[in-house]
Coordinates of all heavy atoms in Angstrom, one line a residue:
M794 N 87.0 2.1 147.7 CA 87.2 0.7 147.5 C 85.9 0.0 147.3 O 84.9 0.3 147.8 CB 87.9 0.2 148.8 CG 88.4 -1.2 148.7 SD 89.4 -1.5 150.2 CE 90.4 -2.7 149.6
I795 N 86.0 -1.0 146.4 CA 84.8 -1.7 146.0 C 84.5 -2.9 147.0 O 85.4 -3.6 147.4 CB 84.9 -2.4 144.6 CG1 85.1 -1.2 143.6 CG2 83.7 -3.2 144.3 CD1 85.4 -1.7 142.2
S796 N 83.3 -2.9 147.5 CA 83.0 -3.9 148.6 C 82.8 -5.3 147.9 O 82.5 -5.4 146.7 CB 81.8 -3.5 149.3 OG 80.6 -3.7 148.6
S797 N 83.0 -6.3 148.7 CA 82.8 -7.7 148.2 C 81.3 -7.9 147.9 O 81.0 -8.7 147.0 CB 83.3 -8.7 149.2 OG 82.7 -8.6 150.5
R798 N 80.4 -7.3 148.6 CA 79.0 -7.4 148.3 C 78.7 -6.9 146.9 O 77.9 -7.5 146.2 CB 78.1 -6.7 149.4 CG 78.0 -7.4 150.6 CD 77.0 -6.7 151.5 NE 76.4 -7.6 152.4 CZ 75.6 -7.2 153.3 NH1 75.3 -5.9 153.5 NH2 75.0 -8.1 154.1
Y799 N 79.3 -5.8 146.6 CA 79.0 -5.1 145.3 C 79.5 -6.1 144.2 O 78.8 -6.3 143.2 CB 79.8 -3.8 145.3 CG 79.7 -3.1 143.9 CD1 78.6 -2.5 143.5 CD2 80.8 -3.2 143.0 CE1 78.5 -1.9 142.3 CE2 80.7 -2.6 141.8 CZ 79.6 -1.9 141.4 OH 79.5 -1.4 140.2
L800 N 80.7 -6.6 144.4 CA 81.3 -7.5 143.4 C 80.4 -8.8 143.3 O 80.2 -9.3 142.2 CB 82.7 -7.9 143.7 CG 83.7 -6.8 143.6 CD1 85.1 -7.2 144.1 CD2 83.8 -6.3 142.2
L801 N 79.9 -9.3 144.4 CA 79.1 -10.5 144.4 C 77.8 -10.2 143.6 O 77.4 -11.1 142.8 CB 78.8 -11.0 145.8 CG 78.1 -12.3 146.0 CD1 78.9 -13.4 145.3 CD2 77.8 -12.6 147.5
R802 N 77.2 -9.1 143.9 CA 76.0 -8.7 143.2 C 76.2 -8.6 141.7 O 75.5 -9.1 140.8 CB 75.4 -7.4 143.7 CG 74.4 -7.6 144.7 CD 73.8 -6.3 145.1 NE 74.7 -5.6 146.0 CZ 74.7 -4.4 146.3 NH1 73.8 -3.6 145.8 NH2 75.6 -3.9 147.1
K803 N 77.3 -8.0 141.3 CA 77.7 -7.9 139.9 C 77.9 -9.2 139.2 O 77.5 -9.5 138.1 CB 78.9 -7.0 139.7 CG 78.7 -5.6 139.9 CD 77.9 -5.0 138.9 CE 77.8 -3.5 139.0 NZ 77.0 -2.8 138.1
A804 N 78.6 -10.1 139.9 CA 78.8 -11.5 139.4 C 77.5 -12.2 139.2 O 77.3 -12.9 138.2 CB 79.7 -12.2 140.3
F805 N 76.6 -12.1 140.2 CA 75.3 -12.7 140.1 C 74.5 -12.2 138.9 O 73.9 -13.0 138.2 CB 74.5 -12.5 141.4 CG 73.2 -13.2 141.4 CD1 73.0 -14.5 141.6 CD2 72.0 -12.4 141.2 CE1 71.8 -15.1 141.5 CE2 70.8 -13.0 141.2 CZ 70.6 -14.4 141.3
I806 N 74.5 -10.9 138.7 CA 73.8 -10.3 137.6 C 74.4 -10.8 136.3 O 73.6 -11.1 135.3 CB 73.8 -8.8 137.7 CG1 72.9 -8.3 138.9 CG2 73.3 -8.1 136.4 CD1 73.0 -6.9 139.3
L807 N 75.7 -10.8 136.2 CA 76.3 -11.2 135.0 C 76.0 -12.7 134.7 O 75.7 -13.1 133.6 CB 77.9 -11.1 135.1 CG 78.7 -11.5 133.9 CD1 78.3 -10.7 132.7 CD2 80.2 -11.3 134.2
A808 N 76.0 -13.5 135.7 CA 75.7 -15.0 135.5 C 74.2 -15.1 135.0 O 73.9 -15.9 134.2 CB 75.9 -15.7 136.8
A809 N 73.3 -14.3 135.6 CA 71.9 -14.4 135.2 C 71.7 -13.9 133.7 O 71.0 -14.5 132.9 CB 71.0 -13.5 136.1
V810 N 72.4 -12.9 133.3 CA 72.4 -12.4 132.0 C 72.9 -13.5 131.0 O 72.4 -13.7 130.0 CB 73.1 -11.1 131.8 CG1 73.3 -10.7 130.3 CG2 72.4 -10.0 132.5
M811 N 74.1 -14.1 131.4 CA 74.7 -15.1 130.5 C 73.8 -16.3 130.4 O 73.6 -16.8 129.3 CB 76.0 -15.5 131.1 CG 77.1 -14.4 131.1 SD 77.5 -13.8 129.4 CE 78.5 -15.1 128.9
A812 N 73.1 -16.7 131.4 CA 72.2 -17.8 131.4 C 71.0 -17.5 130.5 O 70.6 -18.4 129.7 CB 71.7 -18.2 132.8
G813 N 70.5 -16.3 130.6 CA 69.4 -15.9 129.7 C 69.8 -15.9 128.3 O 69.0 -16.3 127.4
T814 N 71.0 -15.4 128.0 CA 71.4 -15.4 126.6 C 71.6 -16.8 126.0 O 71.2 -17.0 124.9 CB 72.8 -14.6 126.5 OG1 72.6 -13.3 127.1 CG2 73.2 -14.5 125.1
A815 N 72.1 -17.7 126.8 CA 72.3 -19.0 126.3 C 71.0 -19.7 126.0 O 70.9 -20.5 125.0 CB 73.0 -19.9 127.3
T816 N 69.9 -19.5 126.8 CA 68.7 -20.1 126.5 C 67.9 -19.4 125.4 O 67.0 -20.0 124.8 CB 67.8 -20.2 127.8 OG1 67.6 -18.9 128.3 CG2 68.5 -21.1 128.8
A817 N 68.2 -18.2 125.1 CA 67.5 -17.5 124.1 C 68.0 -17.7 122.6 O 67.4 -17.2 121.7 CB 67.6 -16.0 124.4
Q818 N 69.0 -18.5 122.5 CA 69.5 -18.8 121.2 C 68.5 -19.5 120.3 O 67.8 -20.4 120.8 CB 70.8 -19.6 121.2 CG 72.0 -18.7 121.8 CD 73.2 -19.6 122.0 OE1 73.3 -20.8 121.7 NE2 74.3 -18.9 122.4
T819 N 68.5 -19.3 119.0 CA 67.6 -20.0 118.1 C 68.1 -21.4 118.0 O 69.3 -21.7 118.0 CB 67.6 -19.3 116.8 OG1 68.9 -19.3 116.2 CG2 67.0 -18.0 116.8
P820 N 67.1 -22.4 117.8 CA 67.5 -23.8 117.6 C 68.3 -24.0 116.3 O 68.1 -23.2 115.4 CB 66.2 -24.5 117.6 CG 65.2 -23.5 117.2 CD 65.7 -22.2 117.7
Q821 N 69.2 -24.9 116.3 CA 70.0 -25.2 115.2 C 69.0 -25.7 114.0 O 68.1 -26.5 114.3 CB 71.0 -26.3 115.5 CG 71.9 -26.6 114.3 CD 72.9 -27.7 114.7 OE1 72.8 -28.3 115.7 NE2 73.9 -27.9 113.8
M822 N 69.3 -25.3 112.9 CA 68.5 -25.6 111.7 C 69.3 -26.6 110.8 O 70.6 -26.6 110.9 CB 68.1 -24.4 110.9 CG 67.3 -23.4 111.7 SD 65.7 -24.0 112.2 CE 64.7 -23.8 110.8
V823 N 68.6 -27.4 110.1 CA 69.2 -28.4 109.2 C 68.7 -28.2 107.8 O 67.4 -28.0 107.6 CB 69.0 -29.8 109.7 CG1 69.5 -30.9 108.7 CG2 69.5 -30.0 111.1
E824 N 69.5 -28.2 106.8 CA 69.0 -28.2 105.4 C 68.6 -29.6 105.0 O 69.4 -30.5 105.0 CB 70.1 -27.6 104.5 CG 70.4 -26.2 104.7 CD 71.4 -25.6 103.7 OE1 72.2 -26.4 103.1 OE2 71.5 -24.4 103.5
V825 N 67.4 -29.7 104.6 CA 66.9 -31.0 104.2 C 66.6 -31.0 102.7 O 65.8 -30.2 102.2 CB 65.6 -31.4 105.0 CG1 65.0 -32.7 104.5 CG2 65.9 -31.5 106.5
S826 N 67.2 -32.0 102.0 CA 67.0 -32.1 100.6 C 65.6 -32.9 100.3 O 65.4 -33.9 100.9 CB 68.1 -32.9 99.9 OG 67.7 -33.3 98.6
L827 N 64.8 -32.3 99.5 CA 63.5 -32.9 99.2 C 63.4 -33.7 97.9 O 62.4 -34.2 97.5 CB 62.4 -31.8 99.2 CG 62.3 -31.0 100.5 CD1 61.3 -29.9 100.3 CD2 62.1 -31.8 101.7
T828 N 64.6 -33.8 97.2 CA 64.6 -34.4 95.9 C 64.0 -35.7 95.8 O 63.2 -36.0 94.9 CB 66.1 -34.5 95.4 OG1 66.7 -33.2 95.5 CG2 66.2 -35.0 94.0
N829 N 64.2 -36.6 96.8 CA 63.7 -37.9 96.7 C 62.2 -38.1 97.0 O 61.6 -39.1 96.8 CB 64.5 -38.9 97.6 CG 65.9 -39.0 97.2 OD1 66.3 -38.9 96.1 ND2 66.8 -39.1 98.2
I830 N 61.6 -37.0 97.6 CA 60.2 -37.1 98.1 C 59.4 -36.0 97.6 O 58.3 -35.7 98.1 CB 60.2 -37.2 99.6 CG1 60.7 -36.0 100.3 CG2 60.8 -38.5 100.1 CD1 60.4 -35.9 101.8
K831 N 59.8 -35.3 96.6 CA 59.1 -34.1 96.1 C 57.7 -34.5 95.7 O 56.7 -33.8 96.0 CB 59.8 -33.5 94.9 CG 60.9 -32.5 95.2 CD 61.4 -31.8 94.0 CE 60.5 -30.7 93.6 NZ 61.0 -29.7 92.7
A832 N 57.5 -35.6 95.0 CA 56.1 -36.0 94.5 C 55.2 -36.3 95.7 O 54.1 -35.9 95.7 CB 56.2 -37.2 93.6
A833 N 55.8 -37.0 96.7 CA 55.0 -37.3 97.9 C 54.6 -36.0 98.7 O 53.4 -35.9 99.1 CB 55.7 -38.2 98.8
I834 N 55.5 -35.1 98.8 CA 55.2 -33.8 99.5 C 54.2 -33.0 98.7 O 53.2 -32.5 99.2 CB 56.4 -33.0 99.7 CG1 57.3 -33.7 100.8 CG2 56.1 -31.6 100.2 CD1 58.6 -33.0 101.2
A835 N 54.3 -32.9 97.4 CA 53.4 -32.2 96.5 C 52.0 -32.7 96.7 O 51.0 -32.0 96.8 CB 53.8 -32.3 95.1
K836 N 51.9 -34.0 96.8 CA 50.5 -34.6 97.0 C 50.0 -34.3 98.3 O 48.8 -33.9 98.4 CB 50.7 -36.2 96.8 CG 49.3 -36.9 96.9 CD 49.5 -38.4 96.6 CE 48.2 -39.1 96.7 NZ 48.3 -40.5 96.5
E837 N 50.8 -34.4 99.4 CA 50.3 -34.1 100.7 C 50.0 -32.6 101.0 O 49.1 -32.3 101.7 CB 51.4 -34.6 101.8 CG 51.4 -36.1 101.8 CD 52.2 -36.6 103.0 OE1 52.4 -35.8 104.0 OE2 52.7 -37.7 102.9
V838 N 50.7 -31.7 100.3 CA 50.4 -30.3 100.5 C 49.5 -29.7 99.4 O 49.2 -28.6 99.4 CB 51.7 -29.4 100.6 CG1 52.6 -29.9 101.8 CG2 52.5 -29.4 99.4
Q839 N 49.1 -30.6 98.5 CA 48.2 -30.3 97.4 C 48.8 -29.1 96.6 O 48.2 -28.1 96.4 CB 46.8 -30.0 97.9 CG 46.2 -31.2 98.6 CD 44.9 -30.9 99.2 OE1 44.5 -29.7 99.4 NE2 44.2 -31.9 99.6
A840 N 50.0 -29.3 96.1 CA 50.7 -28.3 95.2 C 51.3 -29.0 94.0 O 51.5 -30.2 94.1 CB 51.7 -27.6 96.0
D841 N 51.6 -28.2 93.0 CA 52.3 -28.8 91.9 C 53.7 -29.1 92.3 O 54.3 -28.4 93.1 CB 52.4 -27.7 90.7 CG 51.0 -27.4 90.1 OD1 50.1 -28.3 90.2 OD2 50.8 -26.3 89.6
V842 N 54.2 -30.3 91.8 CA 55.5 -30.7 92.2 C 56.6 -29.7 91.8 O 57.6 -29.6 92.6 CB 55.8 -32.1 91.6 CG1 56.1 -32.0 90.1 CG2 56.9 -32.8 92.3
E843 N 56.4 -28.9 90.8 CA 57.4 -27.9 90.4 C 57.5 -26.8 91.5 O 58.5 -26.1 91.5 CB 57.0 -27.3 89.1 CG 57.0 -28.2 87.9 CD 55.7 -29.0 87.8 OE1 54.6 -28.4 88.2 OE2 55.7 -30.1 87.3
K844 N 56.5 -26.6 92.3 CA 56.5 -25.6 93.3 C 57.2 -26.0 94.6 O 57.5 -25.2 95.4 CB 55.1 -25.1 93.6 CG 54.4 -24.4 92.4 CD 53.1 -23.9 92.8 CE 52.5 -23.1 91.6 NZ 51.2 -22.6 91.9
V845 N 57.4 -27.3 94.8 CA 58.0 -27.8 96.0 C 59.5 -27.5 95.8 O 60.2 -27.9 94.9 CB 57.8 -29.3 96.1 CG1 58.6 -29.9 97.3 CG2 56.3 -29.6 96.3
P846 N 60.1 -26.8 96.8 CA 61.5 -26.5 96.7 C 62.4 -27.7 96.8 O 62.0 -28.8 97.3 CB 61.8 -25.6 98.0 CG 60.6 -25.9 98.9 CD 59.5 -26.4 98.1
L847 N 63.6 -27.6 96.3 CA 64.6 -28.7 96.4 C 65.1 -28.9 97.8 O 65.5 -30.0 98.2 CB 65.7 -28.5 95.4 CG 65.3 -28.5 93.9 CD1 66.5 -28.2 93.1 CD2 64.8 -29.9 93.6
M848 N 65.2 -27.8 98.6 CA 65.8 -27.8 99.9 C 65.1 -26.9 100.8 O 64.6 -25.8 100.4 CB 67.3 -27.4 99.7 CG 68.1 -27.6 100.9 SD 68.8 -29.2 101.0 CE 70.3 -29.1 100.2
V849 N 64.9 -27.3 102.1 CA 64.3 -26.4 103.1 C 65.1 -26.5 104.3 O 65.8 -27.5 104.6 CB 62.8 -26.7 103.4 CG1 61.9 -26.4 102.2 CG2 62.6 -28.2 103.8
K850 N 65.0 -25.5 105.2 CA 65.7 -25.5 106.5 C 64.6 -25.8 107.5 O 63.6 -25.2 107.6 CB 66.4 -24.2 106.8 CG 67.6 -24.0 106.0 CD 68.3 -22.8 106.5 CE 69.6 -22.6 105.7 NZ 70.4 -21.4 106.1
V851 N 64.9 -26.8 108.4 CA 64.0 -27.3 109.4 C 64.7 -27.4 110.7 O 66.0 -27.6 110.7 CB 63.3 -28.6 109.0 CG1 62.5 -28.4 107.7 CG2 64.3 -29.7 108.9
P852 N 64.0 -27.4 111.9 CA 64.7 -27.7 113.1 C 65.3 -29.1 113.2 O 64.8 -30.0 112.4 CB 63.5 -27.6 114.2 CG 62.5 -26.8 113.5 CD 62.6 -27.1 112.0
V853 N 66.2 -29.3 114.0 CA 66.9 -30.6 114.1 C 66.0 -31.8 114.3 O 66.1 -32.8 113.7 CB 68.0 -30.6 115.3 CG1 68.6 -31.9 115.6 CG2 69.1 -29.6 114.9
E854 N 65.0 -31.6 115.2 CA 64.1 -32.7 115.5 C 63.3 -33.2 114.3 O 63.1 -34.3 114.0 CB 63.1 -32.3 116.6 CG 63.7 -32.2 118.0 CD 64.4 -33.5 118.4 OE1 63.9 -34.6 118.3 OE2 65.6 -33.4 118.9
T855 N 62.9 -32.2 113.4 CA 62.2 -32.5 112.2 C 63.1 -33.3 111.2 O 62.8 -34.3 110.6 CB 61.6 -31.3 111.5 OG1 60.7 -30.6 112.5 CG2 60.9 -31.6 110.3
A856 N 64.4 -32.8 111.1 CA 65.3 -33.4 110.3 C 65.6 -34.8 110.7 O 65.7 -35.7 109.8 CB 66.6 -32.6 110.2
K857 N 65.8 -35.1 112.0 CA 66.0 -36.4 112.5 C 64.9 -37.3 112.1 O 65.1 -38.5 111.7 CB 66.3 -36.4 114.0 CG 67.6 -35.8 114.4 CD 67.9 -36.0 115.8 CE 66.9 -35.8 116.8 NZ 67.3 -35.8 118.2
E858 N 63.7 -36.8 112.1 CA 62.5 -37.6 111.8 C 62.4 -38.0 110.3 O 62.2 -39.1 110.0 CB 61.2 -36.9 112.3 CG 60.0 -37.6 112.0 CD 58.7 -36.9 112.3 OE1 58.8 -35.8 112.9 OE2 57.6 -37.3 112.0
V859 N 62.6 -37.0 109.5 CA 62.4 -37.2 108.0 C 63.6 -37.8 107.3 O 63.5 -38.4 106.3 CB 61.9 -35.9 107.3 CG1 60.6 -35.5 107.9 CG2 62.9 -34.8 107.3
C860 N 64.8 -37.6 107.9 CA 66.0 -38.1 107.3 C 66.4 -39.5 107.9 O 67.4 -40.1 107.5 CB 67.2 -37.1 107.5 SG 66.9 -35.6 106.6
N861 N 65.7 -39.8 109.0 CA 66.0 -41.1 109.7 C 67.5 -41.1 110.2 O 68.2 -42.1 110.0 CB 65.7 -42.3 108.8 CG 65.6 -43.6 109.5 OD1 65.2 -43.6 110.7 ND2 65.9 -44.7 108.9
L862 N 67.8 -40.0 110.9 CA 69.2 -39.9 111.4 C 69.2 -39.6 112.9 O 68.1 -39.1 113.4 CB 69.9 -38.8 110.7 CG 70.3 -39.0 109.3 CD1 70.9 -37.7 108.7 CD2 71.3 -40.1 109.1
T863 N 70.3 -39.8 113.6 CA 70.5 -39.3 114.9 C 71.1 -37.9 114.8 O 71.5 -37.5 113.8 CB 71.4 -40.2 115.7 OG1 72.7 -40.2 115.1 CG2 70.9 -41.6 115.8
A864 N 71.1 -37.2 116.0 CA 71.8 -35.9 116.0 C 73.2 -36.0 115.6 O 73.8 -35.1 114.9 CB 71.6 -35.3 117.4
E865 N 73.9 -37.1 115.9 CA 75.3 -37.3 115.6 C 75.4 -37.4 114.1 O 76.5 -37.1 113.5 CB 75.9 -38.5 116.3 CG 76.0 -38.4 117.8 CD 74.6 -38.6 118.5 OE1 73.8 -39.4 118.0 OE2 74.4 -38.0 119.5
G866 N 74.4 -37.9 113.4 CA 74.5 -38.1 111.9 C 74.3 -36.8 111.2 O 74.4 -36.7 110.0
L867 N 74.0 -35.7 111.9 CA 73.8 -34.4 111.3 C 75.0 -33.5 111.4 O 74.9 -32.4 111.9 CB 72.5 -33.7 111.9 CG 71.2 -34.4 111.6 CD1 70.1 -33.8 112.5 CD2 70.8 -34.4 110.2
A868 N 76.1 -34.0 111.0 CA 77.3 -33.2 111.0 C 77.3 -32.1 110.0 O 76.8 -32.2 108.9 CB 78.5 -34.1 110.7
P869 N 77.8 -30.9 110.4 CA 77.8 -29.8 109.5 C 78.6 -30.1 108.2 O 79.6 -30.8 108.3 CB 78.5 -28.6 110.3 CG 78.3 -29.0 111.7 CD 78.3 -30.5 111.7
Q870 N 78.1 -29.6 107.1 CA 78.8 -29.8 105.8 C 80.0 -28.9 105.8 O 80.0 -27.8 106.3 CB 77.9 -29.6 104.7 CG 76.7 -30.5 104.7 CD 77.0 -31.9 104.7 OE1 77.7 -32.4 103.9 NE2 76.5 -32.7 105.7
A871 N 81.1 -29.4 105.2 CA 82.4 -28.6 105.1 C 82.2 -27.3 104.5 O 82.8 -26.3 105.0 CB 83.4 -29.5 104.4
N872 N 81.5 -27.2 103.4 CA 81.4 -25.9 102.7 C 80.5 -24.8 103.4 O 80.9 -23.7 103.4 CB 80.8 -26.1 101.3 CG 81.7 -27.0 100.4 OD1 82.9 -27.1 100.7 ND2 81.1 -27.6 99.4
S873 N 79.4 -25.2 103.9 CA 78.5 -24.2 104.5 C 78.5 -24.2 106.0 O 78.0 -23.2 106.5 CB 77.0 -24.5 104.0 OG 76.6 -25.8 104.6
G874 N 78.9 -25.2 106.7 CA 78.9 -25.2 108.1 C 77.5 -25.5 108.6 O 77.2 -25.5 109.8
V875 N 76.5 -25.8 107.7 CA 75.2 -26.1 108.1 C 74.9 -27.6 107.9 O 75.3 -28.1 106.8 CB 74.2 -25.3 107.2 CG1 72.7 -25.7 107.6 CG2 74.4 -23.8 107.4
P876 N 74.4 -28.3 108.8 CA 74.1 -29.7 108.6 C 73.1 -29.9 107.5 O 72.2 -29.1 107.3 CB 73.6 -30.2 110.0 CG 73.7 -29.1 110.9 CD 74.0 -27.9 110.2
S877 N 73.2 -31.0 106.8 CA 72.2 -31.3 105.8 C 72.0 -32.8 105.7 O 72.8 -33.6 106.1 CB 72.6 -30.8 104.4 OG 73.7 -31.4 104.0
C878 N 70.8 -33.2 105.1 CA 70.5 -34.6 105.0 C 69.4 -34.7 103.9 O 68.6 -33.8 103.7 CB 70.1 -35.2 106.3 SG 68.5 -34.6 107.0
P879 N 69.3 -35.9 103.3 CA 68.2 -36.1 102.3 C 67.0 -36.7 103.0 O 67.1 -37.6 103.8 CB 68.8 -37.1 101.3 CG 69.8 -37.9 102.2 CD 70.3 -36.9 103.2
A880 N 65.8 -36.1 102.8 CA 64.6 -36.7 103.4 C 64.2 -38.0 102.8 O 64.3 -38.1 101.5 CB 63.5 -35.7 103.2
V881 N 63.8 -38.9 103.6 CA 63.3 -40.2 103.1 C 61.9 -40.4 103.4 O 61.3 -41.4 102.9 CB 64.1 -41.4 103.7 CG1 65.6 -41.3 103.3 CG2 64.0 -41.4 105.2
R882 N 61.3 -39.5 104.1 CA 59.8 -39.5 104.4 C 59.3 -38.1 104.7 O 60.1 -37.2 105.0 CB 59.5 -40.5 105.5 CG 60.0 -40.0 106.9 CD 59.6 -40.9 108.1 NE 60.1 -42.2 108.1 CZ 61.4 -42.5 108.4 NH1 62.3 -41.6 108.7 NH2 61.8 -43.8 108.5
T883 N 58.0 -38.0 104.6 CA 57.4 -36.7 105.0 C 57.0 -36.7 106.4 O 57.0 -37.7 107.1 CB 56.2 -36.4 104.1 OG1 55.2 -37.3 104.3 CG2 56.6 -36.4 102.6
S884 N 56.6 -35.5 106.9 CA 56.0 -35.4 108.2 C 55.2 -34.2 108.2 O 55.3 -33.3 107.3 CB 57.1 -35.3 109.3 OG 57.7 -34.0 109.3
T885 N 54.3 -34.0 109.2 CA 53.5 -32.9 109.3 C 54.3 -31.6 109.4 O 54.1 -30.6 108.8 CB 52.5 -33.0 110.5 OG1 51.8 -34.2 110.4 CG2 51.6 -31.8 110.7
A886 N 55.4 -31.7 110.3 CA 56.2 -30.5 110.4 C 57.0 -30.1 109.1 O 57.0 -28.9 108.8 CB 57.3 -30.8 111.5
L887 N 57.4 -31.1 108.4 CA 58.1 -30.8 107.1 C 57.1 -30.3 106.1 O 57.4 -29.3 105.4 CB 58.7 -32.1 106.6 CG 59.5 -32.0 105.2 CD1 60.6 -31.0 105.4 CD2 59.9 -33.3 104.7
N888 N 55.9 -30.8 106.1 CA 54.9 -30.3 105.1 C 54.5 -28.9 105.5 O 54.3 -28.1 104.5 CB 53.6 -31.2 105.2 CG 53.9 -32.6 104.6 OD1 54.8 -32.8 103.9 ND2 53.0 -33.5 104.9
D889 N 54.5 -28.5 106.8 CA 54.2 -27.1 107.1 C 55.3 -26.2 106.6 O 55.0 -25.1 106.1 CB 54.1 -27.0 108.6 CG 52.8 -27.7 109.2 OD1 51.9 -28.0 108.4 OD2 52.8 -27.9 110.4
V890 N 56.5 -26.6 106.7 CA 57.7 -25.8 106.3 C 57.6 -25.6 104.7 O 57.7 -24.5 104.2 CB 59.0 -26.3 106.7 CG1 60.2 -25.6 106.0 CG2 59.2 -26.3 108.2
V891 N 57.3 -26.7 104.0 CA 57.2 -26.6 102.6 C 56.0 -25.7 102.2 O 56.2 -24.9 101.3 CB 57.0 -28.0 102.0 CG1 56.6 -28.0 100.5 CG2 58.2 -28.9 102.2
R892 N 54.9 -25.8 102.9 CA 53.8 -24.9 102.6 C 54.2 -23.4 102.7 O 53.9 -22.6 101.9 CB 52.6 -25.2 103.5 CG 51.7 -26.3 103.1 CD 50.5 -26.4 103.9 NE 49.9 -27.7 103.8 CZ 50.0 -28.8 104.6 NH1 50.8 -28.6 105.7 NH2 49.5 -29.9 104.4
Q893 N 54.9 -23.1 103.8 CA 55.4 -21.8 104.0 C 56.3 -21.3 102.9 O 56.2 -20.2 102.5 CB 56.1 -21.7 105.4 CG 55.1 -21.8 106.6 CD 55.9 -21.9 107.9 OE1 57.1 -21.9 107.9 NE2 55.2 -22.0 109.0
E894 N 57.2 -22.2 102.5 CA 58.1 -21.8 101.4 C 57.4 -21.6 100.1 O 57.8 -20.7 99.4 CB 59.2 -22.9 101.3 CG 60.2 -23.0 102.4 CD 61.0 -21.7 102.6 OE1 61.4 -21.1 101.6 OE2 61.1 -21.3 103.8
I895 N 56.4 -22.4 99.8 CA 55.6 -22.2 98.6 C 54.9 -20.9 98.6 O 54.9 -20.2 97.6 CB 54.7 -23.4 98.4 CG1 55.4 -24.7 98.0 CG2 53.6 -23.1 97.3 CD1 54.6 -26.0 98.0
M896 N 54.3 -20.6 99.8 CA 53.6 -19.3 99.9 C 54.6 -18.1 99.8 O 54.3 -17.1 99.1 CB 52.9 -19.2 101.3 CG 51.6 -19.9 101.3 SD 50.5 -19.4 102.7 CE 51.1 -20.5 103.9
K897 N 55.8 -18.2 100.4 CA 56.8 -17.1 100.3 C 57.2 -16.9 98.8 O 57.3 -15.8 98.3 CB 58.1 -17.5 101.0 CG 58.0 -17.2 102.5 CD 59.4 -17.3 103.1 CE 59.3 -17.9 104.5 NZ 60.7 -18.2 105.0
A898 N 57.4 -18.1 98.1 CA 57.8 -18.0 96.7 C 56.7 -17.3 95.8 O 57.0 -16.6 94.9 CB 58.1 -19.4 96.2
S899 N 55.4 -17.7 96.1 CA 54.3 -17.1 95.3 C 54.1 -15.6 95.6 O 53.7 -14.9 94.7 CB 53.0 -17.9 95.6 OG 52.6 -17.7 96.9
L900 N 54.4 -15.2 96.8 CA 54.3 -13.8 97.2 C 55.4 -12.9 96.6 O 55.2 -11.8 96.3 CB 54.3 -13.6 98.7 CG 53.0 -14.1 99.4 CD1 53.2 -14.0 100.9 CD2 51.8 -13.4 99.0
S901 N 56.6 -13.5 96.4 CA 57.7 -12.8 95.9 C 57.7 -12.6 94.4 O 58.5 -12.0 93.8 CB 59.0 -13.4 96.3 OG 59.2 -14.7 95.8
R902 N 56.8 -13.3 93.7 CA 56.7 -13.2 92.2 C 56.0 -12.0 91.8 O 55.2 -11.3 92.2 CB 56.1 -14.4 91.7 CG 57.0 -15.6 91.8 CD 56.4 -16.9 91.3 NE 57.2 -18.0 91.8 CZ 57.0 -19.2 91.4 NH1 56.0 -19.5 90.7 NH2 57.7 -20.2 91.9

């Protein structure tokens, strides 16, 4: 027969594992359209405007900053299930993501 202490220990371990799994999830990403600010980003990252991607994925906090939205305004799009928004300004975090994307594109050629 299984003792209640054994069951209690199992429940505690299971709860700890579940809590660890929940906190280990990756942050939600948002697709940000750069169409309206490509020239400004190109200037800030010192790259040709043609090399700036049309869209990048950034963390929610960055998207809220550059798209001038609240978290509620970042509803997932029907087709992809991924939230998206058009950027209206640049930020250091956005510029860093764009630099990384430009480097990836240049390495894959």
Side-chain angles (χ1 to χ4, degrees):
M794 187 170 205
I795 299 175
S796 74
S797 59
R798 281 185 153 175
Y799 175 79
L800 291 175
L801 186 59
R802 265 187 281 165
K803 289 290 187 180
F805 180 75
I806 291 169
L807 180 61
V810 169
M811 296 297 284
T814 304
T816 58
Q818 292 177 354
T819 58
Q821 182 181 10
M822 301 297 277
V823 177
E824 290 183 342
V825 175
S826 169
L827 306 177
T828 305
N829 297 330
I830 61 168
K831 275 185 78 162
I834 289 180
K836 184 176 181 180
E837 289 191 25
V838 301
Q839 299 177 346
D841 293 332
V842 74
E843 298 83 28
K844 292 184 179 182
V845 175
L847 295 175
M848 192 81 96
V849 292
K850 285 187 180 179
V851 299
V853 170
E854 290 303 313
T855 302
K857 288 190 319 188
E858 179 183 354
V859 301
C860 296
N861 199 29
L862 293 173
T863 63
E865 294 79 31
L867 293 171
Q870 302 303 306
N872 294 342
S873 66
V875 177
S877 66
C878 64
V881 295
R882 68 175 65 75
T883 65
S884 75
T885 302
L887 180 62
N888 291 343
D889 290 344
V890 171
V891 171
R892 280 187 195 97
Q893 290 172 358
E894 291 299 317
I895 290 171
M896 279 197 274
K897 279 190 217 173
S899 69
L900 291 175
S901 66
R902 291 179 190 183

